[in-house]
Amino acid sequence: MSAVFPVANGSIVPFLILAAAMVGANLFLLTRAFPRRGGTPDLGTVVLVVGILLMTSLLWLAVIDAVLDPGDSSTVAVFIAGNSMMGVIGAWFIAVFYRAEEKHLPSRGWAWPSLLALLVIGSEFLMGAAYVLSLSGTGPYVPRGWAGLVLLVRDAVVSIWFSWAMMATMALLLVWLPMPGAERGVLGGLAATSAIAPWVGTGSLEGLAAMGVLMAVVLTIGFERASRRDTTVGLVRALGVVTGGFGVMMAAGLLGFLLPGAFGGTFAFAVANLFVMGGELLFLSRWALARPDRTPAGLAPSSGDPSTPSAAAA
């Protein structure tokens, strides 16, 4: 059984169901964090989103510990991590009690987008590591020490459990956000590299060539669109992100072929893929938060509405 491409049989069905649920949960949280109408989420929503993502990461850490050191204590740790989700609900109730829904995040800044991207990428990566260890066992990794840790990180990132899950998350987020078609197209092309990443990560020269072809097609279409008179600053920025991401991944992939004995072989590509996906999510987060709130005036309470507490106090 390959750590990157598991054997397609009935034994992986539970893993597929859980991975699909993970992607669905992440997408739901992202739609809460980035309202489709625009604007920024309130602090109550932030508490809920950050809490669930953090507890999910702790749950996957507990699962990894249970695989590495099976026993009663690790099993209990998994159940405790799973039940910790109730603590998030409690924190949300406290935030609502203190009127957190009346306070919103600023539309500018790096702190919230960076934290969100880190939590999403981290939870997806830990899921990939847990799945690789569960399906392949600890034999290929634990006895090798630090070299085994490098191998585990590489296999977790380039496995279908991380790469394809991130591709699905990014694709659904691009559909959710009302982004212009040209920008959505080039960013979607960058996200599509995750579909090819498992082959590149396992040392397939054909996979690297396919990624190069994809890069050429996406950038050709993108720069042709940007050369028109009606191009936008947003498209130019998106092209900059996509060009940089493609360049970093291709350089790291070539490094693995030219110097297979250095930098852990395709480990450099795995690290590049991890940072590029995180960078694209960060770019989308900042774009989504900077949009103005387009809620119709009749649907949102205004400061002059006498039914609102603030207006009554005034």
Side-chain angles (χ1 to χ4, degrees):
M1 177 180 292
S2 171
V4 178
F5 295 102
V7 175
N9 54 33
S11 63
I12 68 168
V13 172
F15 293 91
L16 291 173
I17 294 175
L18 187 56
M22 176 81 170
V23 172
N26 283 346
L27 179 63
F28 171 75
L29 293 175
L30 289 173
T31 58
R32 297 284 296 176
F34 307 129
R36 189 175 179 84
R37 66 179 186 275
T40 58
D42 60 73
L43 293 186
T45 300
V46 171
V47 170
L48 193 63
V49 171
V50 171
I52 292 178
L53 287 174
L54 183 60
M55 291 302 103
T56 300
S57 297
L58 292 178
L59 176 60
W60 287 119
L61 281 173
V63 172
I64 292 174
D65 178 65
V67 175
L68 294 175
D69 186 20
D72 293 338
S73 60
S74 59
T75 302
V76 171
V78 172
F79 279 102
I80 292 176
N83 290 328
S84 63
M85 296 295 178
M86 296 304 298
V88 177
I89 304 299
W92 176 75
F93 272 119
I94 295 175
V96 171
F97 179 78
Y98 284 100
R99 295 186 174 182
E101 75 280 3
E102 298 178 4
K103 304 173 184 178
H104 289 256
L105 290 179
S107 59
R108 302 292 179 182
W110 290 92
W112 165 240
S114 299
L115 176 62
L116 183 64
L118 180 63
L119 289 174
V120 172
I121 292 290
S123 63
E124 296 281 10
F125 166 73
L126 291 174
M127 182 184 74
Y131 274 26
V132 166
L133 287 171
S134 299
L135 292 171
S136 300
T138 60
Y141 308 105
V142 174
R144 299 185 183 184
W146 287 107
L149 178 61
V150 170
L151 182 61
L152 175 61
V153 172
R154 187 207 68 178
D155 288 350
V157 173
V158 301
S159 69
I160 64 172
W161 307 112
F162 174 82
S163 297
W164 290 2
M166 277 305 304
M167 179 185 65
T169 301
M170 297 299 292
L172 293 173
L173 181 59
L174 284 168
V175 172
W176 167 258
L177 294 175
M179 179 173 284
E183 297 173 37
R184 181 184 287 116
V186 294
L187 290 169
L190 182 59
T193 58
S194 295
I196 311 173
W199 284 274
V200 180
T202 53
S204 169
L205 185 59
E206 293 81 1
L208 186 63
M211 185 171 290
V213 171
L214 175 62
M215 175 184 69
V217 172
V218 172
L219 292 182
T220 298
I221 296 174
F223 279 106
E224 187 279 330
R225 180 64 181 82
S227 65
R228 302 177 185 177
R229 290 186 176 182
D230 60 343
T231 188
T232 62
V233 176
L235 177 58
V236 174
R237 290 175 179 171
L239 273 174
V241 171
V242 171
T243 303
F246 271 136
V248 168
M249 287 193 294
M250 287 299 296
L254 287 172
L255 183 65
F257 283 100
L258 298 178
L259 299 173
F263 306 105
T266 54
F267 174 74
F269 171 79
V271 173
N273 185 43
L274 188 68
F275 277 94
V276 168
M277 290 298 104
E280 183 177 9
L281 184 55
L282 177 60
F283 177 82
L284 283 173
S285 300
R286 281 181 55 83
W287 182 91
L289 291 176
R291 293 175 300 139
D293 192 339
R294 302 184 185 279
T295 303
L299 298 180
S302 63
S303 59
D305 188 350
S307 64
T308 59
S310 58

